[in-house]
């Protein structure tokens, strides 16, 4: 093969690679809106708490944690309606978004696993929450240090749905955001106090073998901002990339 032929073949491969990247970016460029929608839902839920950012020394955390995190709610009914109406509404908006993109670009994204996961886990949460139970006793907390029933939080359906969407969109960023929300929800809702740090964590930090545990001085609003932050960054980056490829 002559040098000219070799150069032509290389240029063809580069062009094919560029077209493949452009097609992938156009097909999955719409993931910014679901990410932004979930982030907005998390940030709006801050309004469900009576003291979202202010320090509070006497907290009544009604169980189940319908606001999402174990802290004082303005109204358990309002929290319940927010998640059990807001989540399906967000899914409907996202579904309409994907259908619109499919008509505009001729590229279809199978978003149904995202919707099915979110609604399925939400329904499972409602069923589990209907089983009679009460808050954990002090003895149970002292013996286990972790309360599995505290995981009845509407934050977990959101996290599971993001992981499902990450698989559909082939996005590591969405997967990381979903796992991040799940880890924070499990830690915050499965422990006796918001931001509780068990003794072994304190021992690891300061090396004191007699440490009795601790607690981060953060409020529900701070944690929800931390949950939403990866999604906000993802949405901004993906929207910018989508606009760039749309202009080509």
């Amino acid at each position: 093969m002559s040098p000219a032929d070799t150069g032509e073949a290389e240029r063809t491969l580069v062009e094919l690679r560029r077209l493949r990247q452009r097609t992938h970016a156009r097909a999955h460029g719409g993931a910014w809106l679901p990410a932004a929608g979930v982030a907005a839902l998390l940030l709006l839920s801050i309004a469900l708490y009576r003291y979202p950012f202010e320090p509070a020394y006497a907290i009544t955390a009604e169980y189940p944690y319908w606001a999402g995190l174990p802290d004082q709610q303005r109204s358990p009914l309002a929290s319940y309606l927010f998640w059990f109406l807001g989540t399906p509404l967000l899914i409907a908006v996202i579904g309409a978004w994907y259908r619109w993109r499919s008509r505009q670009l001729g590229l279809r994204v199978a978003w149904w696993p995202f919707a099915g996961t979110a609604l399925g886990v939400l329904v499972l949460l409602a069923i589990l929450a209907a089983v009679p139970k009460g808050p954990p006793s002090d003895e149970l907390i002292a013996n286990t240090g972790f309360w599995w029933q505290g995981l009845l939080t509407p934050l977990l359906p959101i996290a599971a749905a993001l992981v499902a969407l990450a698989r559909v969109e082939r996005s590591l960023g969405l997967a990381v955001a979903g796992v991040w929300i799940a880890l924070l929800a499990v830690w915050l809702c499965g422990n006796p106090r918001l931001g509780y740090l068990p003794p072994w964590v304190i021992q690891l930090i300061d090396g004191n073998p007699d440490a009795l545990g601790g607690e981060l001085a953060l409020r529900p609003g701070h944690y929800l901002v931390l949950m939403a932050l990866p999604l906000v960054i993802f949405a901004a980056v993906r929207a910018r990339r989508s606009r760039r490829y749309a202009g080509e």
Side-chain angles (χ1 to χ4, degrees), residues 85-99 111 114-115 119:
L85 295 179
T87 301
L89 179 61
L90 176 62
I91 291 171
V93 170
I94 291 171
W97 165 252
Y98 276 119
R99 286 194 295 270
W111 59 277
F114 163 76
L119 294 178

Side-chain angles (χ1 to χ4, degrees), residues 41-56:
L41 196 66
L42 290 171
L43 295 175
L44 286 173
S45 74
I46 293 174
L48 301 174
Y49 299 90
R50 191 170 295 277
Y51 310 105
F53 295 103
E54 305 88 342

Side-chain angles (χ1 to χ4, degrees), residues 63-64 66 80 84 123-133 152-153:
Y63 178 80
W66 290 129
Y80 184 93
F84 281 83
V123 169
L124 178 62
L125 171 67
I127 294 172
L128 292 176
V131 178
K133 64 179 73 64
L152 294 181
T153 165

Side-chain angles (χ1 to χ4, degrees), residues 38 44 53 60 100 109 118 156 169 199 247:
V38 173
L44 286 173
F53 295 103
T60 302
W100 177 83
V109 174
L156 288 185
E169 290 282 4

Side-chain angles (χ1 to χ4, degrees), residues 24-42:
H24 182 273
R26 285 170 63 84
H28 299 286
W32 67 268
L33 187 133
V38 173
L41 196 66
L42 290 171

Side-chain angles (χ1 to χ4, degrees), residues 195-236:
Y196 172 74
L197 298 172
W200 65 268
V201 173
I202 304 300
Q203 292 167 11
L204 238 135
I205 294 173
D206 64 9
N208 180 7
D210 300 320
L212 300 177
E215 188 174 345
L216 289 181
L218 296 178
R219 303 293 298 130
H222 300 117
Y223 289 115
L224 288 164
V225 169
L226 288 175
M227 289 182 182
L229 186 58
L231 290 169
V232 172
I233 295 173
F234 174 89

